[in-house]
Amino acid sequence: HDLATMPRCLGTVWMAVLVLAAASHFLAFVQLVSASVRIGEVMGQPLATPSRPRVARVARADGPVGLRSAEHSGELTQRKQRPVIAVLVAMMLSFSLAAAALAPPDPTVEAAWGFVRRNYYDQTFNKQDWNALHERFLRRVDQGERAESVVREMVQSLGDRYSRVIDAATFEQLMAFDPMGVGLVLARNDQKEVIISSPPFAGSSAAKAGLRQGQRVEKVDDMSFKELSLLAVADRVSTRDPPSVTLTLREGEGETREVVLERLRQAKPQNQVESGIVTNALGHKVGFLRLRTVGARSALEMQEALGRLRAEGAQEWVIDLRGNGGGSFPAALEAAELFLPKGATAAQVKLPSVDKEKPILVGEEGERQERVGSATEPVAVLVDAGSASASEVLAVALRGNCRAPLIGSRTYGKAAVQGVFGLPNKEAVALTVARYSGPHGERIEGGLEPDLSSGLSLGGLSPQGLMSALGAPLQGGGDYGLDVEGASKLALAACAESAR
């Protein structure tokens, strides 16, 4: 029940398994020996041979010297040897079976199989018997196949284009963007506890401190995971950028231990939001927020930019998601909360543990209350074929709540949420853990059609705004010269009508 006693419990269980297996195989060995003796007796019968027997002279005590075939004496020797050989074969077979039965399962294959079983959104596993495949995968490793190859085939068998294996080098590069900066990947287990989900990276402060995969983490500094989400904690560590963090580990029932880890990556992460103000043809000041990606700092940087640009006179907003390939699903919902009222449905999500889609409501997590609905001015969202995944979640959350029109061209259409799970061999598996849709179940697969595109009369958009909104440039003052208020009224009138 706790990590402190787990090694002793596992040792006791393992010894019991060894004793039972040894007893079982000893009985099998006795049966094999008995059978081999009988086989040897049969094998000891004289064998016909076409060759001419060798003749030897032998002396008899009760008569003269006579002739006797050497073949007869050889048969006696063979009769004695064959049962012994059969016994040796039986011993080798018995001990090889025992060794195979007692060998522990390959940890990488075992971990990958477990991650799929617990987290993959399609619990039919592409209509496969996942338990039967478990034994087959382990048997192949026992027969000499590399665990890495078996895990890749395991993930490919799911038939999901988004689920894949991430090699160790790429996984470590991904970890370079970890705002914790200590070489750890944290995740929640089946009991909703926060654990170290993969081995710490070599050379990191977590590895030097001897932290292990599977250990439970209760707090980071003064932030408890009972009160805050993983994303919120990572956000605050990144914002504070301290030289070190203190992890509180749960060692047993009522027992905790604190570990101080130096943050080796002190450089500030690259800004995820570019912002500024332009004046459109109507003389309105438009504040623009261009998101390169959707990450842990996106909502925080957007909130800071909104405050700064509002102080500079911004009256309307343009969120530019063109070319944004996505990122963190929770981070997209955090960004949407800036523009939505508390209690609004931001999205629907399908998880492996539930049969129906689950609504995600704005303001569910208390630590973000100061962000919810902080931007009430008119807003429009620019999208194109490069807008995918988490950026589509942000776009459909605003459009689905009749908060912002989408302007540009159809989006990419990726509705899958990926989770990344570290493996003991330093690689990782990226698995589709959920599929999401808009606030009212709007499909994202196939892409989101814009409300205003080059084929429509854009009414309130200025000519300059129309050209820049649909043109190639991604930066520059003319890109965001939109009549956002006019475009919003035109597009969102239809949205409100359909909602009724």
Side-chain angles (χ1 to χ4, degrees), residues 188 224-233 235-236 330-331 333-334 337 342-343 358 360-372:
R188 293 191 185 271
S224 171
F225 287 115
K226 293 181 179 179
E227 301 171 358
L228 301 176
S229 67
L230 282 165
L231 189 64
V233 171
D235 237 359
R236 296 187 180 188
L333 296 178
E334 284 196 14
E337 287 183 342
K342 182 178 180 179
K358 173 188 174 183
I360 300 176
L361 304 181
V362 173
E364 282 186 310
E365 296 198 32
E367 75 274 8
R368 300 202 299 262
Q369 291 302 315
E370 72 279 2
R371 299 183 185 176
V372 172

